[in-house]
Amino acid sequence: MTANARANILSRLRATTIQGQGPFIVPDAPIIAGLELSLEERIGRLQRMLETMHAEVRVVSAGGWLEELKAMLRARTLNGLLYGPAAPFGPALEGAWEEDLPPLVPYIEPVEQCRERLFNIDAGITSARGAIAETGALILWPSAAEPRLISLTPGLHIAVLDAGMIFNTFAEAIDQQHWLRHRMPANALLISGPSKTADIELTLTFGVHGPKELVVFILS
Amino acid sequence: MTKTADAVIFERNAAKALDDGQLRRNLRSAMTTLSQRRRTLFADTEAFEQLRAQGESIRRRALSQLPALLEQLEGRCTANGIQVHWAETAAEANAICLDILRRHNARRVIKGKSMVSEEMHLNHFLEEQGIEALETDLGEYIIQLDGETPSHIIVPAIHKNKDQIARLFHERIPDAPYTEVVEELNAIARQELREKFRAGEAGISGVNFAVAETGTLCLVENEGNGRMCTTAPPVHIALMGLEKVVEKLRDVPPLLRLLTGSATGQPITTYFNMITSPRRLDELDGPQEVHLVILDNGRSSIYGDAERRATLQCIRCGACLNHCPIYTRLGGHAYGHVYPGPIGSILTPQLEGLDEAGVMASASTFCGACEEVCPVKIPFTEILRMLRNEAYAQGESEHDVKGHGYRYTTVEGLSWKSWALYNTRPGLARIGSQILGKLGQHLPMIGPLKEWTRTRTPPPFAPKSLHQLAQERGLDNDR
Ligand code: SF4
């Protein structure tokens, strides 16, 4: 049945162009000049946009972020911090960990073996591959090193971003990070804040099915 | 003329909706807010027009090469490990889903928002087969609890206010306390659904854009339920109408901006989820199987006609609903079909046939608000006028819309023919208007006149025609 469906659909679509209507001539609209901000402005704009969406943003030095992370976690009661040991910051995180912090929980087994744990852990930390200043969004490419659910099931998602990877626009990120030359990841994401909804009377509330909080460390 | 069933139903629904004060208050406040937010985001009208021109040309370029792009999409997806299925009808698409679910022994399915699945009546179909299909988008969850269908394509439960939802949750969700605090209502839903996400055996979603160049399926959402449905279960089925394909990855950013901005005035949604393949060998999560179902269901018949093709440019942002004087007063349910509002008015009669849903094309005042806000510049008024003409086109019709000619009657046909004759013969018109001036008050109300005067008072004819008055003043245009 489906083999026929394919042929039938395609031939219907093709038949029409042949019947004297010809392909539509579609002029490309002029390219819109994108933002062109300096690094500092990009950081500022990203921070502002993310904060509007209720994310918490901390601009820190590359050397000092771990201490700040630890201070932040000490101030909370969390049952654990999920992370990928092969993440770029994995070894540094492990090296810096201390007894009085929520335990580090490495994500090293297939989800089938640890589903329960993933759905019950309070916090997760991932790297961000880049960010978009214009609209305010992080770019995540989950992988074997940093699986998808780290940024989804915990109530608190912490993301670590290198300020040099903040692009003006989404289009610029695609070009400059050469998304087309790479093999696209199984799942790529833009994330602009904690999960939210406005489905009841358009009242905006944060923390629906995804993380309730998003904390972004921008390393400059 | 006698009315078709859909017209009778629509009129009854419309009267009921107009009488429902609560519904009208809910709608008015929501629609005003949505359109204000959109206006604020696109305050720079020049920049917006540039963006819109881009959106339009991207969609038209994609449609101009549709069959080739669909094949390319299929090829790329298959190479990436996504299994592609084609369905000519909703029934076929349902059968494909059922088959996949059966193979996985899946009885509990979690669903992200998908208008195509509404078009397929998938939930109902799966239920009959003993499979629970749970809507997980908060708005969809609310209406599913109440046994309703979406009243809006973006905010499906917008017809309800929080008191109504509070009562609903309290009555239908075991142990849910009664609360009218929106945050608490959200928390109840979050808790209810969390366990379902963990235990879901399959996930079903829609597709906002499918990129042919890379074989990537893009999903736009705020809640994270879409990510849950496409990430947590072992199998993910994505449903798309065949028009959803775009050519290049670089086509996505402008469309994304237009979509989120037009829908809710957001510069971007919380999540933009791009799926290119199932879980790769070394990966620890993500579905082991991803299926893409490409649905026709009448779309290819729309594609064939140059004027009708623009209907397929739609990116389902809902802006035309939010700005429509008819939608904002009636809400979506009155239309009686899956797609309400202006987009429904042009799409539904073409998918289901004028004889089934032709009345939807008449649910317009031709004010053009939809055309003004549509991010991909669909020429609504042209298409609506064409559909109304087709409704009367007997025999072979120019645009061959399914069910065309269903409103043709001999009286009406004759009336218009004589009207044409009358107006193309000055002599006839002169004598005619003199007679009308004297006897017009006693015209028999039949055909279009009967229809027209049903809700209007017939105006009295002037004793002298304009022509006569002009002649008396010494103006003569007849030479
Ligand atoms: S027709 Fe235009 S305005 Fe209406 S939903 Fe589609 S894209 Fe949006």
Side-chain angles (χ1 to χ4, degrees):
Chain A
M1 177 164 75
T2 44
N4 270 345
R6 180 185 188 279
N8 293 346
I9 292 170
L10 286 173
S11 78
R12 269 200 300 276
L13 293 177
R14 289 232 154 81
T16 56
T17 357
I18 298 163
Q19 276 167 13
Q21 299 195 345
F24 286 66
I25 297 160
V26 184
D28 254 328
I31 302 290
I32 300 168
L35 287 183
E36 279 185 38
L37 305 176
S38 69
L39 176 62
E40 213 166 294
E41 289 167 330
R42 290 201 298 277
I43 297 175
R45 170 136 184 165
L46 178 67
Q47 174 165 17
R48 212 173 51 249
M49 296 300 286
L50 288 173
E51 283 172 353
T52 319
M53 285 301 130
H54 286 219
E56 185 184 327
V57 179
R58 299 171 177 229
V59 186
V60 287
S61 71
W65 78 275
L66 270 168
E67 283 313 310
E68 233 190 282
L69 170 71
K70 289 199 282 185
M72 181 187 104
L73 294 178
R74 277 197 185 98
R76 302 168 176 241
T77 8
L78 298 167
N79 67 5
L81 179 65
L82 187 67
Y83 78 112
F89 54 73
L93 193 71
E94 287 163 358
W97 224 239
E98 288 166 67
E99 279 291 301
D100 62 336
L101 289 163
L104 281 181
V105 180
Y107 191 167
I108 42 177
E109 298 168 297
V111 56
E112 287 73 18
Q113 268 116 63
C114 57
R115 199 178 285 271
E116 210 61 54
R117 192 172 345 132
L118 295 175
F119 271 84
N120 288 307
I121 195 154
D122 289 339
I125 184 167
T126 69
S127 62
R129 192 172 193 271
I132 299 160
E134 181 184 40
T135 51
L138 303 173
I139 300 167
L140 264 71
W141 279 25
S143 62
E146 296 186 90
R148 308 181 197 194
L149 289 175
I150 304 182
S151 61
L152 184 58
T153 51
L156 165 65
H157 173 210
I158 301 163
V160 185
L161 168 73
D162 174 359
M165 286 291 119
I166 305 175
F167 299 96
N168 285 291
T169 61
F170 184 15
E172 189 183 284
I174 292 175
D175 291 347
Q176 299 205 359
Q177 289 192 327
H178 307 291
W179 287 31
L180 286 171
R181 245 187 279 150
H182 290 278
R183 181 168 77 146
M184 283 287 281
N187 185 207
L189 296 160
L190 304 185
I191 300 180
S192 70
S195 77
K196 64 177 186 288
T197 184
D199 273 352
I200 302 179
E201 291 192 2
L202 296 181
T203 308
L204 194 58
T205 44
F206 289 85
V208 207
H209 304 307
K212 297 178 179 179
E213 284 179 275
L214 172 67
V215 177
V216 183
F217 285 91
I218 302 180
L219 314 192
S220 66
Chain B
M1 67 177 288
T2 46
K3 275 204 215 96
T4 50
D6 69 323
V8 175
I9 295 169
F10 178 65
E11 278 179 28
R12 202 174 48 216
N13 290 349
K16 214 170 94 197
L18 289 174
D19 268 347
D20 185 340
Q22 184 65 63
L23 174 70
R24 295 195 57 180
R25 275 190 298 280
N26 296 354
L27 274 172
R28 185 166 59 216
S29 92
M31 296 300 110
T32 315
T33 311
L34 284 175
S35 26
Q36 269 164 3
R37 285 188 191 155
R38 174 190 165 279
R39 239 192 329 273
T40 313
L41 186 81
F42 293 134
D44 181 343
T45 45
E46 201 184 315
F48 174 63
E49 283 310 323
Q50 278 183 346
L51 189 61
R52 213 155 85 107
Q54 256 196 342
E56 184 198 17
S57 86
I58 288 169
R59 289 299 298 136
R60 290 182 47 133
R61 169 159 48 76
L63 290 177
S64 75
Q65 344 164 29
L66 186 60
L69 289 185
L70 285 170
E71 281 177 318
Q72 190 188 3
L73 177 72
E74 179 190 41
R76 297 310 307 237
C77 282
T78 311
N80 298 339
I82 296 177
Q83 299 174 45
V84 180
H85 312 261
W86 302 71
E88 287 192 82
T89 60
E92 272 184 34
N94 282 333
I96 292 167
C97 292
L98 180 64
D99 185 54
I100 299 167
L101 296 174
R102 285 252 164 90
R103 270 195 289 111
H104 286 265
N105 247 322
R107 309 204 135 259
R108 284 169 305 176
V109 178
I110 48 179
K111 275 191 68 203
K113 198 174 153 27
S114 153
M115 286 310 293
V116 164
S117 78
E118 298 289 341
E119 195 180 320
M120 292 157 56
H121 303 292
L122 176 65
N123 295 357
H124 182 71
F125 169 79
L126 290 179
E127 247 157 61
E128 282 179 349
Q129 311 293 326
I131 296 173
E132 174 196 75
L134 183 75
E135 295 290 349
T136 62
D137 168 86
L138 181 61
E140 294 278 353
Y141 175 72
I142 291 168
I143 56 172
Q144 190 178 38
L145 266 186
D146 211 5
E148 286 186 316
T149 52
S151 66
H152 189 288
I153 63 176
I154 296 288
V155 276
I158 204 62
H159 56 289
K160 285 192 178 328
N161 65 11
K162 60 175 187 291
D163 310 6
Q164 294 167 314
I165 296 167
R167 264 198 309 280
L168 179 69
F169 276 22
H170 183 56
E171 279 164 19
R172 301 280 162 83
I173 303 175
D175 303 325
Y178 182 88
T179 170
E180 289 175 10
V181 180
V182 174
E183 285 77 9
E184 290 173 12
L185 290 168
N186 277 329
I188 294 173
R190 176 181 166 105
Q191 206 196 339
E192 270 298 299
L193 287 170
R194 194 131 179 112
E195 171 55 24
K196 309 277 186 183
F197 287 132
R198 197 190 57 73
E201 293 159 332
I204 295 181
S205 77
V207 173
N208 291 101
F209 317 115
V211 185
E213 175 178 50
T214 55
T216 301
L217 313 176
C218 303
L219 273 101
V220 175
E221 60 141 347
N222 282 311
E223 297 183 4
N225 69 307
R227 283 188 67 199
M228 286 283 187
C229 295
T230 59
T231 310
V235 52
H236 165 211
I237 304 172
L239 310 169
M240 70 174 253
L242 55 73
E243 80 282 16
K244 281 282 147 81
V245 66
V246 297
E247 186 184 355
K248 300 183 271 194
L249 192 60
R250 271 299 237 108
D251 290 337
V252 169
L255 287 184
L256 174 62
R257 178 117 172 122
L258 282 168
L259 175 58
T260 65
S262 305
T264 52
Q266 299 181 88
I268 192 166
T269 45
T270 304
Y271 301 113
F272 185 58
N273 186 357
M274 293 163 267
I275 298 163
T276 304
S277 85
R279 183 189 310 187
R280 294 204 169 122
L281 274 183
D282 58 346
E283 285 182 314
L284 301 177
D285 59 16
Q288 250 122 3
E289 272 181 31
V290 177
H291 297 265
L292 174 65
V293 181
I294 301 175
L295 177 66
D296 181 342
N297 207 27
R299 288 167 173 79
S300 57
S301 73
I302 300 178
Y303 184 74
D305 185 90
E307 237 175 87
R308 297 170 60 193
R309 180 179 290 190
T311 315
L312 300 177
Q313 280 164 221
C314 174
I315 56 171
R316 303 280 189 272
C317 72
C320 56
L321 278 60
N322 306 343
H323 291 77
C324 175
I326 296 190
Y327 177 88
T328 54
R329 280 164 183 81
L330 298 184
H333 288 152
Y335 292 80
H337 292 274
V338 172
Y339 300 100
I343 179 59
S345 291
I346 58 171
L347 180 63
T348 312
Q350 298 190 68
L351 291 181
E352 294 182 17
L354 284 162
D355 45 348
E356 291 291 324
V359 72
M360 289 194 67
S362 68
S364 167
T365 65
F366 275 63
C367 74
C370 43
E371 207 164 299
E372 230 169 85
V373 296
C374 177
V376 290
K377 297 209 216 178
I378 295 179
F380 281 92
T381 36
E382 234 172 73
I383 298 176
L384 283 168
R385 198 174 300 120
M386 179 273 293
L387 288 173
R388 290 191 188 181
N389 285 342
E390 286 280 308
Y392 293 94
Q394 205 197 14
E396 266 195 31
S397 80
E398 190 186 344
H399 299 282
D400 201 24
V401 180
K402 190 170 155 193
H404 64 81
Y406 82 108
R407 296 196 71 172
Y408 181 87
T409 62
T410 324
V411 175
E412 182 137 357
L414 268 179
S415 310
W416 289 117
K417 268 197 197 119
S418 10
W419 188 81
L421 193 71
Y422 178 92
N423 282 291
T424 46
R425 305 274 192 296
L428 208 58
R430 197 167 317 135
I431 300 168
S433 54
Q434 278 167 16
I435 298 178
L436 275 178
K438 301 211 169 67
L439 302 175
Q441 265 55 273
H442 312 290
L443 272 188
M445 294 297 152
I446 52 166
L449 275 183
K450 179 174 160 208
E451 182 86 339
W452 195 82
T453 51
R454 206 165 48 83
T455 50
R456 300 173 183 86
T457 320
F461 284 89
K464 286 181 180 173
S465 71
L466 180 67
H467 191 254
Q468 278 176 299
L469 290 172
Q471 255 181 349
E472 283 171 18
R473 288 183 165 218
L475 307 167
D476 189 359
N477 240 353
D478 269 2
R479 276 169 306 180

